[in-house]
Amino acid sequence: MVVRPRDDPRGASDGDDDASGHGRAGGDGRDPDGARAADVIARGVRGAEPGEVPGRLCEVAVELLPVIGASVSLRSEGMPVQLSASSPQAAHLSQIQATLGDGPCQSAVEDGAPVLACDLTSGHDAGRWPVFAQQATEAGVRAVYAVPLGSGAACVGTLDLYRDRPGSLTDRQLHVARIVAGVMTVALMALPHGDEPKTQDGEDDWLSGLASDHDEIYQAVGMIMAQLGVGADDALARLRADAFARGRTALHVARDVIAHRTRFDRS
């Protein structure tokens, strides 16, 4: 076992909790892991514009935890809206889950509780999300941890963490992940709206560009509805099925539909 130094903000490695299994508060009731996380978060978002905060927090999560990537998505009817990711790989994994409509992030939204897929190469986790597990491992990810933003009916999305080797999070690491998710939730809820400054187009500044991918998907869904004479759910299902069959993301297929490179015919 490799034990990280006490000043490493990521805390202990797997299995390095104290005898109680929690390893959070010291004998005087303080929370050293939370304090370190707060310092790193404060440094990470310092000077950021509101719309930049989700991306900065994804980068903070990678700094604090034993993961190689992080992404954040908002809950939405049909497909989640990806806001930010720490890397192209993390963005790709988020898009895979959105395309399939399945994966740890979807389960975390449904459960309103963290979902830790500790080994996507075999066993329970690989069997629970078989298609996602296969595509994730092909993309170099062996474990995914999805932490809800909020809980239950108040869950507004997920913070998804990606790891390149199997393994769980310790209680201390999950505690830190919850702190980042909590700050992410507050940041999203506190983004400017209403009487705050707007762009020249009149749109809330923080929203500018964040939902453009989502809009493209639903524009394509509308075109598929017209082509096939079906409802939105069926059109979205056809879009996802086509993306899966061709090994692409729903967003890529949506862009082809909008550009008239792909057309759906009744069959």
Side-chain angles (χ1 to χ4, degrees):
M1 178 189 302
V2 178
V3 179
R4 296 191 179 93
R6 292 178 61 87
D7 59 353
D8 189 322
R10 290 178 294 183
S13 60
D14 291 354
D16 196 37
D17 291 323
D18 64 13
S20 70
H22 296 286
R24 297 182 186 175
D28 57 2
R30 290 183 298 177
D31 179 2
D33 295 308
R36 277 197 301 271
D39 288 343
V40 175
I41 290 169
R43 184 175 70 247
V45 301
R46 187 174 296 128
E49 295 294 328
E52 297 173 339
V53 172
R56 293 280 191 94
L57 288 174
C58 286
E59 294 171 359
V60 164
V62 176
E63 180 178 353
L64 285 169
L65 297 162
V67 297
I68 61 170
S71 64
V72 58
S73 298
L74 286 183
R75 183 176 191 172
S76 177
E77 298 230 354
M79 295 184 71
V81 182
Q82 182 192 118
L83 292 187
S84 297
S86 64
S87 67
Q89 182 188 37
H92 178 62
L93 266 293
S94 178
Q95 287 290 347
I96 288 175
Q97 294 191 80
T99 297
L100 296 175
D102 192 27
C105 114
Q106 301 290 317
S107 298
V109 167
E110 293 169 2
D111 297 346
V115 173
L116 308 183
C118 303
D119 188 357
L120 294 172
T121 64
S122 62
H124 171 75
D125 295 327
R128 184 176 180 183
W129 308 282
V131 179
F132 170 73
Q134 178 185 4
Q135 296 198 19
T137 54
E138 288 177 354
V141 169
R142 304 291 185 270
V144 175
Y145 318 117
V147 184
L149 306 179
S151 60
C155 177
V156 297
T158 59
L159 170 66
D160 298 321
L161 308 167
Y162 308 102
R163 187 170 177 172
D164 59 356
R165 57 189 172 87
S168 184
L169 294 178
T170 65
D171 284 350
R172 292 172 66 176
Q173 291 163 349
L174 181 57
H175 175 51
V176 170
R178 285 179 180 272
I179 291 174
V180 177
V183 174
M184 183 79 78
T185 304
V186 172
L188 292 175
M189 300 301 290
L191 286 170
H193 58 84
D195 56 357
E196 297 291 339
K198 297 178 181 292
T199 64
Q200 291 181 347
D201 295 331
E203 182 180 20
D204 290 340
D205 187 57
W206 75 271
L207 280 172
S208 179
L210 289 183
S212 58
D213 292 349
H214 189 257
D215 291 343
E216 287 179 289
I217 288 174
Y218 279 97
Q219 182 181 348
V221 165
M223 294 174 67
I224 296 170
M225 289 170 63
Q227 292 167 9
L228 300 180
V230 298
D233 289 345
D234 288 339
L236 179 57
R238 287 292 297 271
L239 176 67
R240 280 175 158 157
D242 185 80
F244 173 70
R246 295 200 275 161
R248 309 181 71 201
T249 66
L251 178 60
H252 289 145
V253 175
R255 287 172 175 168
D256 281 349
V257 172
I258 294 169
H260 302 287
R261 291 188 294 265
T262 295
R263 178 179 175 83
F264 287 77
D265 297 315
R266 302 187 190 192
S267 59

